[in-house]
Amino acid sequence: MFKKVLIANRGEIAVRVMRACREMGIKTVAVYSDVDRDALHVRFADEAYCIGPPPARESYLIGEKIVEVAKKSGAEAIHPGYGFLSERGHFVDLCEQEGVVFIGPRGDVMRTMGDKVTARQTMDKAGVPIVPGTTDRLTDDAIARWVRDTGPPVMIKAAAGGGGKGMRLVRNETELTSAIARARSEAKSSFGDDSLYVEKFVEEPRHIEIQILADAHGNAVHLFERECSIQRRHQKVIEEAPGNRISPELRAKMGEAAVAAAKAVNYVGAGTCEFLVDKHDHFYFLEMNTRVQVEHAITEMITGIDIVKAMIRVAAGEKLPFSQDELAIHGHSIEARIYAEDPDNNFVPSPGEILVYRPAAGPGIRVDSGVYQGAKVTVFYDPMVAKLVVWGRDRAEAIERLGRALSEFVVKGIKTSIPFHQKLVHHPKFLEGRYDTGFIEQHMAGGKGGPTPTSAEDSAEARRVAFMMAAVAAYKRDKQRAAEASVVASGGADPWKSYGRRAQMRGGWR
Amino acid sequence: MFKKVLIANRGEIAVRVMRACREMGIKTVAVYSDVDRDALHVRFADEAYCIGPPPARESYLIGEKIVEVAKKSGAEAIHPGYGFLSERGHFVDLCEQEGVVFIGPRGDVMRTMGDKVTARQTMDKAGVPIVPGTTDRLTDDAIARWVRDTGPPVMIKAAAGGGGKGMRLVRNETELTSAIARARSEAKSSFGDDSLYVEKFVEEPRHIEIQILADAHGNAVHLFERECSIQRRHQKVIEEAPGNRISPELRAKMGEAAVAAAKAVNYVGAGTCEFLVDKHDHFYFLEMNTRVQVEHAITEMITGIDIVKAMIRVAAGEKLPFSQDELAIHGHSIEARIYAEDPDNNFVPSPGEILVYRPAAGPGIRVDSGVYQGAKVTVFYDPMVAKLVVWGRDRAEAIERLGRALSEFVVKGIKTSIPFHQKLVHHPKFLEGRYDTGFIEQHMAGGKGGPTPTSAEDSAEARRVAFMMAAVAAYKRDKQRAAEASVVASGGADPWKSYGRRAQMRGGWR
Amino acid sequence: MNYEVTEKKGDTKTVGLVEISEGQFEITIDGRTVHVDAAKSGKTIYSILEDGKQFEVIIDDNGGHGFDVLVGGQLFHLEARDERARLLASTAKVVVSGPQRVEAEMPGKVVKIVSPVGTAVAEGQGVIILEAMKMENEIKSPFEGTITDLGVSEGQTVESGALLFVVTPPEKPEGA
Amino acid sequence: MNYEVTEKKGDTKTVGLVEISEGQFEITIDGRTVHVDAAKSGKTIYSILEDGKQFEVIIDDNGGHGFDVLVGGQLFHLEARDERARLLASTAKVVVSGPQRVEAEMPGKVVKIVSPVGTAVAEGQGVIILEAMKMENEIKSPFEGTITDLGVSEGQTVESGALLFVVTPPEKPEGA
């Protein structure tokens, strides 16, 4: 086993990986940008090295610097977390060249899965169902011909795609020409590659993904599914494991397909096969994520398997310490991502200092967080500050716990998505477990709508208390200002400057 | 189901019960003493009422006041937690008279189990093995005769006993007369009842207890065992579930005995049968706790059952929602009790304000706490501030997690038992799982000894850093004092008073 | 003291308030007077007790008169104004004279200068567009005046606290 | 500046310390000079970086010269003294004259009065035994002198900050 591992990431996932390492008796090396000297992941590490200025492209994305720190500090392996360098094949190659173990699959596997057309070809060959469509890069004419033959609706997609870019839905043949042109131009500017392919559009799709783990000795298992259909602008908001309305047969078939996908590319490490499931329970391979996912924790809750530890073990050459038949689903788990954003103001990011931080706790609650009271959320990185993960004996209990946990989770100083989650977990459609990826758009007005999380009576009571307390707060501030004013009067502070700040606060910043 | 429940307790258990209520959609009523206005359990409640001055006998122990609050607020039931009124039969009777449901067994059941002689008689009749000895209140002569017939070592015990009082070990017949006299006088002064009985002394005893749950419809199940042998002065320090070296056969036999004990008294609610297990795997009924235990959480972790919710359900007349064959042990769980006490100074209590509170978190960790950053720990109540509960797929992983969690758990402002736990979880005897109730006395010099939790190299490094940082802290304070001194010089503070305080701090207070 | 509390796009209520002792208030609202025990423990979140009912209340002061008040999981955007505050505000306005600095509240990148030096601006008129956390924010002039200096240029990255611009109010006739 | 740091029943080391800038120190210990970056983030716990090595350090100031320092789960009881502190301490001693009040640091119950009014006490001699949190604590005289007043009687319950006793130091010949 490794004696020292470098974690090439920040925030909650860096802390998560360090926790696994500490439990395994492995020393950890953190890297940080100038603005992250006080970040939680630095405090959790045995060693920490600054790798550059705040923008990620000048620090967390510079593979050469990170490999250099690994070699200097004597770290034998690098865990990339998610995001940043986690799915960049060339970084994996660099690690290999420099003799540092990359905790994840090989670079060529990443490249195969990173290119959507190649991935589709590979999966098709391995017998994994793919969304009906082409497995080649197509000319405009070829796309038009395919659409004419098959009929709309179709999705035009960039081969190099990701993050919803270079993607266009065509519901009508008249839209086709302009859709192709726009997809190509977006693909060119986003990925430097304007290759396109085309797929049938799956109606009312549900996003179901299968977690897999594979070692270098030919063993691969799946850890069942997660349902990630609750999305806002292609960003996952709430995930559940197991999924809703997944029959044991469908689960088994999808699990086998995911393991087949992994074996087809000699996959080593943790990975996720994302599938679309249509209303007839047909499933189609969408893409494979070749890293640990944000939502891996809910799978850990229902299986008892520590996925990060397993990743480290197989990267060190060990065999998977469990087989498929030792794995079972135990209860139900849900994750709510807590973002530093203002749900009442179109989800704009909300940076700032966390003045009060009281995470939920108690039975059935796990919080993976990258912050602490007094920490600063900066503008430079992903605004996710914590993951609230709950477990219950069944889905009903998990939802009750999630509601309870959200009601006790306090973050003051920045706005968070907690109030939005509270509305979501009270929505009848969510409670029923009948939703698809269109849920937030259709049933919560894109996040602006949704039910009141409390009874009408409690709600009226809360409003009355809020009015009273606004008056109390105003009173207290007036009192304090009066006191401060007298201090200023006797010399000291610079009223010119403080007026400027105050004026600005009233100004455009919100 | 109840609409509103009063929680007649404070601290972590009050918060724990409120969490269960909130998940069940039940409103909660807190009671608090004058010194607890800012306590966490008040902040978690929907309603809160002051019931008197800080000393428990003037507030939390006055059943009449609490029942009055329940009736005034419309609470249909009272959850007593542990300690305080939780095992006082007369309080249960009072609730019944006043038409408020007591969440727990009937008053007569409590009295049966509260008197050790009656409990022994009852268990003996039910076929539950008791420690060999007498089941009657004995005269001095009768005790002497029994000891002469059986031979030492024996335990002389107060019939009304509890908390280690009125109890004397007799290893030699010459000690007998004085032991009887001292046990009687202690029993008289502690319980107002000098009745004694006598038991064989069990050598190298392990403390194994069985959690049971029973409803009012004649159903009773056990939730397997907990091992609570790690004790310091009869106070549990670390608990594990399942126990160590408990064979499936022994587990089944003890479980059946505990269920038989519950059925013998028509028990309703959650309860715990405490057993002593000797080195030959013989087990003996010790006593039954007729309330929720501090350590119930580890059983929740390995079974997935929410014990507090089950208590509330059966008190409301519902049937147990699971049967014995639906219950299974899943993984391993350990609890470490975090006390506000100074392990380096003979475990003296350490009250004060919690300046920094960063509980452990992440995979496999549950913290049940009654405090928060800024909370004050007072001298009036139990010094337990939090329970750190870990879960692992097996005991090894649970211990690794416990070690990791202790290393990230930060409480500043008061001293806690965390450093003591860190030594404990690195002790080879603990790691082996081979220990009895004499462990801390024999292997850790009563708490003063024990291994260093880190390697010699890391330890030396930590010492060097500590020396450097003591100098830095002294430097910073000198700097600040110099700054303050100049303020004082210009008028304001009272140096006479501040000297007095400083001098006193150097004095006898630590 | 009376406060006028207004919900964004909602009700306005008059809230009467008397502080009896530290944290203890007599509050009149909706024609009813209640006793409120507002404890701010650990200098953090309020615990409110009113006739036995307990609420945890989190208040974010947005500057000006705005307060975001979170009660039982519900967020209310409120403005609270009292007689004296109105008075103070008008007094403050008179005090403002001479050039005023406006500084960056968070680090970001200057995307565009909307009002270059010499522009006459109204209160609330945009001066600079700053990108932070991938969002564009318009930095407005706090009052009427002329932009007399810019601390930044387009494309420049600024730190928190950096001077963005200076606005000079129009000179007022004496006695105005 | 040089500090003498002593572990309770252990080593004494001389620690040389230069503050280069806020939180940045050059520290000489065991004959080696290292650079230490001591960040106190969120005004709470130190994060120490020394040549890449990271330590979370929690320091409790016990008053006087004592510091309890927790590093990597290990607690060290240390005393740190510098030249100037010694000087200040001796100066402080001269300042102490006339009766000094000793107050209760936590609420408790007076179990016993060990040194009644009129008792001559040495520095560190017990005066009162106070029970708090079920433990008995001996409250000692901070210096040599005579007990000239008692604020409490046996069996009495006291609040934090209450006067326990007054001790008057012996008069010193001038110029001593």
Side-chain angles (χ1 to χ4, degrees):
Chain A
M1 184 42 63
F2 309 121
K3 289 195 174 57
K4 198 185 276 185
V5 168
L6 184 148
I7 293 89
N9 216 304
R10 63 179 305 286
E12 71 87 18
I13 193 62
V15 173
R16 167 71 188 89
V17 175
M18 287 177 196
R19 282 177 166 143
C21 289
R22 188 167 290 188
E23 290 175 18
M24 297 172 82
I26 299 169
K27 297 269 178 192
T28 56
V29 180
V31 290
Y32 64 94
S33 75
D34 290 335
V35 82
D36 273 347
R37 170 65 183 92
D38 287 340
L40 192 63
H41 76 285
V42 173
R43 304 185 147 250
F44 268 64
D46 295 306
E47 299 179 34
Y49 299 90
C50 183
I51 49 165
R57 65 184 175 281
E58 298 173 41
S59 48
Y60 295 106
L61 284 171
I62 302 189
E64 291 75 14
K65 269 193 201 171
I66 287 168
V67 170
E68 188 191 313
V69 170
K71 293 174 78 175
K72 187 174 74 178
S73 65
E76 302 133 284
I78 294 178
H79 196 299
Y82 51 70
F84 294 139
L85 294 167
S86 64
E87 294 187 288
R88 308 221 172 174
H90 69 84
F91 178 65
V92 184
D93 297 345
L94 176 68
C95 288
E96 204 180 336
Q97 282 156 27
E98 299 290 329
V100 180
V101 176
F102 177 86
I103 298 175
R106 293 187 317 278
D108 64 301
V109 172
M110 266 185 200
R111 276 183 291 267
T112 299
M113 291 302 182
D115 182 277
K116 295 205 163 188
V117 166
T118 318
R120 278 169 65 81
Q121 289 168 355
T122 311
M123 290 304 104
D124 199 29
K125 258 182 245 159
V128 177
I130 57 174
V131 182
T134 68
T135 51
D136 287 307
R137 289 153 217 272
L138 301 180
T139 62
D140 292 8
D141 281 354
I143 294 175
R145 213 173 315 132
W146 195 89
V147 174
R148 227 168 291 131
D149 292 352
T150 321
V154 301
M155 289 292 277
I156 313 278
K157 288 189 172 180
K165 275 175 185 157
M167 208 162 91
R168 282 290 179 283
L169 169 62
V170 178
R171 288 203 171 271
N172 194 306
E173 266 185 57
T174 57
E175 298 166 10
L176 188 62
T177 316
S178 87
I180 293 173
R182 275 150 60 212
R184 276 213 203 277
S185 113
E186 209 169 280
K188 182 77 185 170
S189 71
S190 295
F191 316 112
D193 174 2
D194 68 356
S195 309
L196 299 179
Y197 70 101
V198 60
E199 285 179 357
K200 274 297 289 176
F201 176 68
V202 178
E203 303 265 9
E204 295 178 33
R206 298 164 61 202
H207 178 116
I208 306 284
E209 60 186 32
I210 303 279
Q211 173 74 52
I212 63 108
L213 278 172
D215 64 24
H217 307 274
N219 305 304
V221 298
H222 69 86
L223 279 70
F224 316 106
E225 80 281 5
R226 295 184 286 257
E227 172 149 19
C228 313
S229 307
I230 305 270
Q231 303 185 351
R232 204 183 63 81
R233 298 187 190 167
H234 301 287
Q235 190 187 49
K236 295 170 186 170
V237 171
I238 290 248
E239 298 101 338
E240 302 190 52
N244 295 293
R245 298 175 285 143
I246 304 289
S247 67
E249 295 71 35
L250 180 58
R251 174 171 299 131
K253 276 203 291 185
M254 291 179 74
E256 281 158 27
V259 168
K263 290 198 169 173
V265 293
N266 292 319
Y267 198 87
V268 175
T272 300
C273 285
E274 297 192 341
F275 294 99
L276 287 183
V277 177
D278 70 16
K279 51 186 168 185
H280 310 294
D281 275 4
H282 297 132
F283 66 95
Y284 308 102
F285 174 86
L286 196 63
E287 63 181 58
M288 182 165 188
N289 294 313
T290 55
R291 52 164 164 85
V292 69
Q293 305 268 101
V294 173
E295 61 271 25
H296 74 280
I298 56 175
T299 300
E300 295 184 327
M301 297 296 267
I302 61 158
T303 59
I305 300 295
D306 189 313
I307 292 172
V308 175
K309 283 187 195 163
M311 290 177 82
I312 296 171
R313 290 225 166 85
V314 298
E318 292 186 12
K319 286 189 181 174
L320 279 179
F322 38 78
S323 59
Q324 190 68 54
D325 56 7
E326 289 173 79
L327 297 171
I329 295 176
H330 182 69
H332 194 96
S333 182
I334 308 179
E335 167 179 281
R337 301 185 182 194
I338 315 287
Y339 287 102
E341 57 186 27
D342 185 355
D344 280 309
N345 188 13
N346 205 27
F347 296 88
V348 297
S350 176
E353 184 177 345
I354 296 180
L355 301 175
V356 178
Y357 183 69
R358 189 186 70 193
I365 306 297
R366 164 177 169 185
V367 177
D368 276 25
S369 162
V371 299
Y372 55 92
Q373 188 155 313
K376 286 186 186 70
V377 178
T378 70
V379 297
F380 296 103
Y381 314 109
D382 187 283
M384 195 177 74
V385 293
K387 303 189 311 201
L388 171 58
V389 179
V390 301
W391 182 92
R393 245 169 89 78
D394 50 30
R395 185 170 189 265
E397 185 173 59
I399 291 176
E400 283 163 15
R401 289 216 165 122
L402 181 54
R404 186 268 291 173
L406 287 166
S407 76
E408 68 183 59
F409 205 132
V410 173
V411 182
K412 194 171 180 308
I414 60 169
K415 314 266 186 224
T416 73
S417 47
I418 292 172
F420 167 68
H421 285 299
Q422 273 178 312
K423 292 194 285 186
L424 203 156
V425 300
H426 285 86
H427 198 289
K429 286 270 166 201
F430 178 73
L431 294 176
E432 261 178 57
R434 298 191 78 85
Y435 55 76
D436 59 45
T437 55
F439 173 78
I440 290 179
E441 218 38 71
Q442 286 160 33
H443 298 291
M444 294 184 71
K448 288 192 281 285
T452 308
T454 42
S455 71
E457 191 191 336
D458 285 352
S459 186
E461 188 79 341
R463 169 169 280 107
R464 199 176 59 83
V465 169
F467 273 76
M468 295 198 303
M469 289 310 294
V472 168
Y475 169 80
K476 287 208 158 193
R477 195 182 55 182
D478 291 350
K479 214 170 121 180
Q480 197 191 331
R481 280 204 184 149
E484 280 173 5
S486 62
V487 172
V488 172
S490 66
D494 177 357
W496 187 68
K497 190 164 173 181
S498 69
Y499 178 79
R501 283 186 187 276
R502 209 159 61 230
Q504 183 198 357
M505 282 168 74
R506 275 206 303 269
W509 270 105
R510 278 172 300 107
Chain B
M1 184 44 62
F2 310 121
K3 289 196 174 57
K4 200 185 275 185
V5 168
L6 182 148
I7 292 89
N9 217 303
R10 63 179 304 286
E12 70 86 19
I13 192 62
V15 173
R16 168 71 188 89
V17 175
M18 288 176 194
R19 282 177 167 143
C21 289
R22 188 166 289 186
E23 289 173 20
M24 296 172 81
I26 299 169
K27 297 269 179 195
T28 56
V29 180
V31 290
Y32 64 95
S33 76
D34 290 334
V35 81
D36 271 347
R37 170 64 182 92
D38 287 340
L40 192 62
H41 76 284
V42 173
R43 302 185 148 249
F44 267 64
D46 295 307
E47 299 179 35
Y49 299 90
C50 184
I51 49 164
R57 65 184 175 280
E58 299 173 39
S59 48
Y60 295 105
L61 285 171
I62 303 189
E64 290 74 14
K65 269 194 201 168
I66 287 168
V67 170
E68 189 192 311
V69 171
K71 293 174 77 174
K72 187 174 75 179
S73 65
E76 304 135 284
I78 295 178
H79 196 299
Y82 50 71
F84 294 140
L85 295 166
S86 64
E87 294 187 290
R88 308 219 173 175
H90 70 83
F91 178 65
V92 184
D93 297 345
L94 176 68
C95 289
E96 203 180 336
Q97 283 156 28
E98 299 289 330
V100 180
V101 176
F102 177 86
I103 299 175
R106 296 187 316 280
D108 63 302
V109 172
M110 263 186 203
R111 276 184 290 268
T112 300
M113 290 304 181
D115 182 277
K116 295 204 162 188
V117 166
T118 319
R120 278 168 66 79
Q121 288 167 356
T122 312
M123 290 304 105
D124 199 29
K125 260 182 241 156
V128 177
I130 57 175
V131 181
T134 69
T135 52
D136 288 306
R137 287 152 220 272
L138 301 181
T139 61
D140 291 8
D141 281 353
I143 295 174
R145 211 173 317 129
W146 194 88
V147 174
R148 227 169 291 128
D149 292 351
T150 323
V154 303
M155 288 292 276
I156 312 278
K157 287 191 173 179
K165 276 177 183 157
M167 208 162 90
R168 282 289 179 286
L169 170 61
V170 178
R171 289 205 171 268
N172 194 305
E173 266 185 56
T174 59
E175 299 167 12
L176 188 62
T177 317
S178 86
I180 293 173
R182 274 149 62 211
R184 275 214 203 278
S185 112
E186 209 170 280
K188 182 76 185 172
S189 71
S190 296
F191 316 112
D193 174 1
D194 68 356
S195 310
L196 299 180
Y197 69 102
V198 60
E199 284 178 358
K200 274 296 289 176
F201 176 68
V202 178
E203 304 265 9
E204 294 179 33
R206 297 164 61 202
H207 178 117
I208 306 284
E209 59 185 33
I210 303 279
Q211 174 73 53
I212 63 109
L213 278 171
D215 64 25
H217 307 274
N219 305 305
V221 297
H222 69 87
L223 280 69
F224 315 106
E225 80 281 4
R226 296 185 285 259
E227 172 149 20
C228 312
S229 306
I230 305 271
Q231 304 184 351
R232 204 183 63 80
R233 296 187 190 168
H234 302 286
Q235 192 188 49
K236 295 171 186 169
V237 171
I238 290 249
E239 298 101 340
E240 303 190 51
N244 294 293
R245 298 174 286 143
I246 304 289
S247 67
E249 295 71 37
L250 179 58
R251 174 171 299 132
K253 276 202 290 182
M254 292 180 73
E256 281 158 27
V259 169
K263 291 199 168 169
V265 293
N266 292 318
Y267 197 89
V268 175
T272 300
C273 285
E274 296 191 341
F275 294 99
L276 287 184
V277 177
D278 70 14
K279 52 187 168 185
H280 310 293
D281 274 6
H282 296 132
F283 66 94
Y284 308 102
F285 174 85
L286 197 61
E287 63 181 58
M288 183 165 187
N289 295 313
T290 55
R291 51 163 165 84
V292 68
Q293 306 268 102
V294 173
E295 60 271 25
H296 74 281
I298 54 175
T299 299
E300 295 184 326
M301 297 297 267
I302 61 159
T303 60
I305 300 295
D306 189 314
I307 293 172
V308 175
K309 283 187 195 164
M311 289 177 82
I312 296 170
R313 290 224 166 85
V314 299
E318 291 186 12
K319 286 189 182 174
L320 279 180
F322 39 78
S323 58
Q324 190 69 53
D325 55 6
E326 289 173 79
L327 297 171
I329 296 176
H330 182 71
H332 194 96
S333 182
I334 309 179
E335 167 178 282
R337 302 185 182 194
I338 315 286
Y339 287 102
E341 56 186 26
D342 185 355
D344 280 309
N345 187 13
N346 204 26
F347 295 89
V348 298
S350 176
E353 183 177 345
I354 295 180
L355 302 175
V356 178
Y357 183 68
R358 189 186 71 193
I365 306 296
R366 162 177 170 185
V367 176
D368 276 26
S369 163
V371 298
Y372 54 91
Q373 188 156 314
K376 285 184 188 71
V377 178
T378 69
V379 297
F380 296 104
Y381 313 110
D382 187 281
M384 195 177 74
V385 292
K387 303 188 312 201
L388 171 59
V389 180
V390 301
W391 182 91
R393 246 169 87 79
D394 50 30
R395 186 169 189 264
E397 186 174 57
I399 291 176
E400 284 162 15
R401 287 214 166 123
L402 181 54
R404 187 268 291 173
L406 288 167
S407 76
E408 68 185 58
F409 206 130
V410 173
V411 182
K412 195 171 177 314
I414 59 169
K415 313 267 184 222
T416 73
S417 47
I418 292 172
F420 167 67
H421 286 299
Q422 273 178 311
K423 291 194 286 184
L424 203 155
V425 299
H426 286 86
H427 198 290
K429 286 269 165 201
F430 178 73
L431 295 175
E432 261 179 57
R434 298 191 79 83
Y435 54 76
D436 59 46
T437 54
F439 173 78
I440 290 179
E441 219 36 73
Q442 286 161 32
H443 298 292
M444 292 183 73
K448 289 192 280 287
T452 307
T454 41
S455 70
E457 192 191 337
D458 286 352
S459 186
E461 188 80 342
R463 169 168 281 108
R464 199 176 58 84
V465 170
F467 273 76
M468 295 196 305
M469 290 310 294
V472 167
Y475 169 81
K476 288 207 156 190
R477 196 182 56 184
D478 290 350
K479 213 169 122 181
Q480 197 190 332
R481 280 205 183 148
E484 280 172 5
S486 61
V487 172
V488 172
S490 66
D494 177 355
W496 187 70
K497 191 165 174 181
S498 69
Y499 179 78
R501 282 184 187 277
R502 210 161 59 231
Q504 184 198 356
M505 281 168 77
R506 275 207 304 269
W509 272 105
R510 280 171 299 107
Chain C
M1 188 174 303
N2 284 339
Y3 282 83
E4 220 158 71
V5 184
T6 307
E7 188 171 10
K8 224 181 192 174
K9 299 170 205 159
D11 290 353
T12 293
K13 295 186 187 204
T14 302
V15 180
L17 188 149
V18 181
E19 187 172 22
I20 304 162
S21 60
E22 183 67 31
Q24 304 293 318
F25 297 91
E26 293 283 1
I27 298 183
T28 307
I29 186 168
D30 297 338
R32 217 159 55 86
T33 300
V34 293
H35 178 266
V36 171
D37 169 359
K40 205 176 180 181
S41 62
K43 287 152 211 145
T44 54
I45 315 155
Y46 282 99
S47 162
I48 308 303
L49 278 178
E50 179 206 336
D51 195 21
K53 290 235 163 54
Q54 201 278 141
F55 303 90
E56 269 202 332
V57 180
I58 301 173
I59 303 176
D60 275 310
D61 183 337
N62 287 327
H65 301 286
F67 297 93
D68 288 351
V69 185
L70 188 73
V71 184
Q74 278 188 274
L75 189 60
F76 300 92
H77 303 280
L78 301 172
E79 299 216 326
R81 284 191 171 74
D82 82 319
E83 279 292 319
R84 200 172 53 168
R86 273 200 289 270
L87 200 71
L88 280 172
S90 64
T91 319
K93 230 164 207 166
V94 175
V95 171
V96 176
S97 69
Q100 302 294 325
R101 296 158 60 91
V102 172
E103 298 163 0
E105 230 190 20
M106 47 175 138
K109 191 180 163 190
V110 177
V111 176
K112 198 176 160 63
I113 298 199
V114 182
S115 307
V117 170
T119 313
V121 291
E123 180 178 333
Q125 190 175 329
V127 182
I128 280 174
I129 294 177
L130 200 66
E131 187 192 281
M133 273 180 136
K134 289 164 199 160
M135 288 297 299
E136 295 194 350
N137 304 279
E138 196 178 24
I139 312 302
K140 295 166 182 165
S141 175
F143 46 74
E144 185 193 350
T146 307
I147 303 302
T148 49
D149 194 13
L150 279 167
V152 294
S153 51
E154 286 185 6
Q156 187 185 331
T157 305
V158 296
E159 291 303 308
S160 176
L163 173 68
L164 295 177
F165 59 86
V166 176
V167 53
T168 304
E171 293 205 10
K172 289 197 178 136
E174 276 194 28
Chain D
M1 189 174 300
N2 283 340
Y3 283 82
E4 220 158 72
V5 183
T6 307
E7 188 170 9
K8 225 181 192 175
K9 300 172 204 158
D11 289 353
T12 294
K13 295 186 188 205
T14 302
V15 179
L17 189 150
V18 180
E19 186 172 23
I20 303 162
S21 59
E22 184 67 31
Q24 304 294 319
F25 298 90
E26 294 282 1
I27 299 183
T28 308
I29 186 169
D30 297 339
R32 218 159 54 87
T33 300
V34 295
H35 178 265
V36 171
D37 170 0
K40 205 177 180 182
S41 61
K43 288 155 211 142
T44 54
I45 315 155
Y46 282 98
S47 162
I48 308 303
L49 278 178
E50 178 205 337
D51 194 21
K53 291 234 161 59
Q54 201 277 142
F55 304 89
E56 270 202 331
V57 180
I58 301 173
I59 303 175
D60 276 310
D61 183 336
N62 288 325
H65 302 285
F67 297 93
D68 287 352
V69 185
L70 189 72
V71 185
Q74 279 188 275
L75 190 61
F76 300 91
H77 303 281
L78 300 173
E79 299 216 326
R81 285 191 171 74
D82 82 318
E83 278 292 316
R84 199 173 54 170
R86 273 199 291 266
L87 201 68
L88 281 172
S90 65
T91 318
K93 235 172 201 157
V94 175
V95 172
V96 176
S97 69
Q100 303 293 325
R101 297 158 59 92
V102 172
E103 298 163 358
E105 232 191 18
M106 46 176 143
K109 190 179 162 189
V110 178
V111 176
K112 197 174 161 58
I113 297 195
V114 182
S115 306
V117 170
T119 313
V121 291
E123 180 178 333
Q125 189 176 331
V127 181
I128 279 173
I129 294 177
L130 200 67
E131 187 191 280
M133 276 182 135
K134 291 166 197 157
M135 287 299 299
E136 297 193 348
N137 302 278
E138 196 177 24
I139 313 301
K140 296 166 181 167
S141 175
F143 45 77
E144 186 193 348
T146 306
I147 304 302
T148 49
D149 194 13
L150 280 166
V152 294
S153 51
E154 286 185 5
Q156 187 186 331
T157 304
V158 295
E159 292 302 308
S160 177
L163 172 68
L164 295 177
F165 59 85
V166 175
V167 53
T168 305
E171 292 204 12
K172 285 195 180 141
E174 278 194 26

